[in-house]
Amino acid sequence: MADAVLDAKGLNCPLPILRAKKALKELPTGGTLEVQATDPGAVKDFEAFCRATGNELVEQHVDGKVFV
């Protein structure tokens, strides 16, 4: 279970990444953030974001039309 959930549904790149970056600052070290997005590009964007920032992408899946 995530420590926080970010609803980025309906937002297009780069807004989900920018909102996630802000939300991560609010989490304690080691905390987890669940991001829910509808932009298909968010999947690759978050993979690249995690590689670039050193954050760990723990899991990703699709729930209907929502990328989690």
Side-chain angles (χ1 to χ4, degrees):
M1 178 172 249
D3 295 304
V5 177
L6 172 64
D7 182 353
K9 296 185 290 273
L11 301 177
N12 293 321
C13 180
L15 290 176
I17 292 290
L18 295 174
R19 299 245 173 114
K21 187 176 179 180
K22 182 178 178 184
L24 285 170
K25 290 180 182 179
E26 306 290 322
L27 292 178
T29 301
T32 56
L33 175 65
E34 176 179 310
V35 181
Q36 302 171 350
T38 51
D39 179 5
V43 174
K44 294 290 182 191
D45 290 344
F46 277 101
E47 289 172 353
F49 173 77
C50 288
R51 278 193 308 272
T53 61
N55 288 292
E56 179 183 359
L57 181 62
V58 177
E59 175 187 352
Q60 59 181 333
H61 64 274
V62 180
D63 185 7
K65 294 184 180 185
V66 178
F67 301 94
V68 181

